[in-house]
Amino acid sequence: MANRHLSRSIAMQSLFEWDFHGCPKNAIKEMIKHNIDEFAPGMDDASFIYDLTQGVAERAGEIDKLIQEMAPEWPLESITTVDRNILRLGVYELKYSNAPDVPPKVAINEAIELAKTFGGASSGKFVNGILGAIYKQMGEPRKEE
């Protein structure tokens, strides 16, 4: 599972770069490839990274709207770029990903770990609060897993 964590880290870094450069539609694949070469040279299967990153990019509008609904006191542009993209990744995994081997609690915990690693002092709690609220709104599917 360490590969999945590394994959999520690379996906988050690619999304950060994509967001930082204004979310250019045609540049995401090149950014992902560069980050894989930089942070995981020789990785056997990068499909999880591409699936996550491109999935977030394709659904960014829906995901951002949901984040805004759950955190109306935090305008999206005032959320740090790191936290914003960790949230996007977490929301995508919770709501849209077709990875049946990733229970919702794992997706939330992975996002929290990314926030603790890459974000600020309160990023983990912030990400946990928003993703937890979205999970509850979804009806807590697969809660027993």
Side-chain angles (χ1 to χ4, degrees):
M1 278 306 179
N3 271 350
R4 285 280 175 107
H5 184 73
L6 176 60
S7 294
R8 286 182 180 94
S9 295
I10 293 169
M12 189 282 302
Q13 290 168 331
S14 300
L15 289 167
F16 176 94
E17 184 178 355
W18 172 74
D19 190 2
F20 183 81
H21 289 289
C23 305
K25 290 187 181 208
N26 298 326
I28 193 94
K29 283 184 183 180
E30 186 177 314
M31 291 173 182
I32 298 165
K33 182 180 179 337
H34 169 77
N35 287 323
I36 291 169
D37 291 345
E38 181 75 21
F39 301 111
M43 179 179 263
D44 292 337
D45 183 12
S47 61
F48 187 63
I49 299 168
Y50 282 96
D51 290 346
L52 288 176
T53 310
Q54 291 179 297
V56 169
E58 289 168 7
R59 294 184 175 268
E62 296 169 61
I63 292 169
D64 289 353
K65 184 179 178 198
L66 187 56
I67 292 169
Q68 283 294 205
E69 289 172 8
M70 292 298 126
E73 65 281 356
W74 286 94
L76 203 60
E77 60 278 354
S78 72
I79 298 172
T80 67
T81 308
V82 170
D83 290 352
R84 181 171 53 242
N85 286 289
I86 291 169
L87 283 169
R88 286 173 172 160
L89 193 57
V91 171
Y92 178 77
E93 278 205 90
L94 271 177
K95 290 198 60 110
Y96 305 109
S97 176
N98 292 324
D101 58 328
V102 180
K105 289 183 181 182
V106 170
I108 293 169
N109 286 335
E110 283 289 326
I112 293 166
E113 289 304 312
L114 288 173
K116 288 178 181 177
T117 301
F118 295 102
S122 60
S123 293
K125 290 179 183 180
F126 181 67
V127 167
N128 185 33
I130 292 175
L131 293 180
I134 291 169
Y135 180 61
K136 285 181 183 176
Q137 183 189 52
M138 292 170 57
E140 299 180 345
R142 300 171 64 182
K143 185 177 182 177
E144 62 285 341
E145 291 182 45

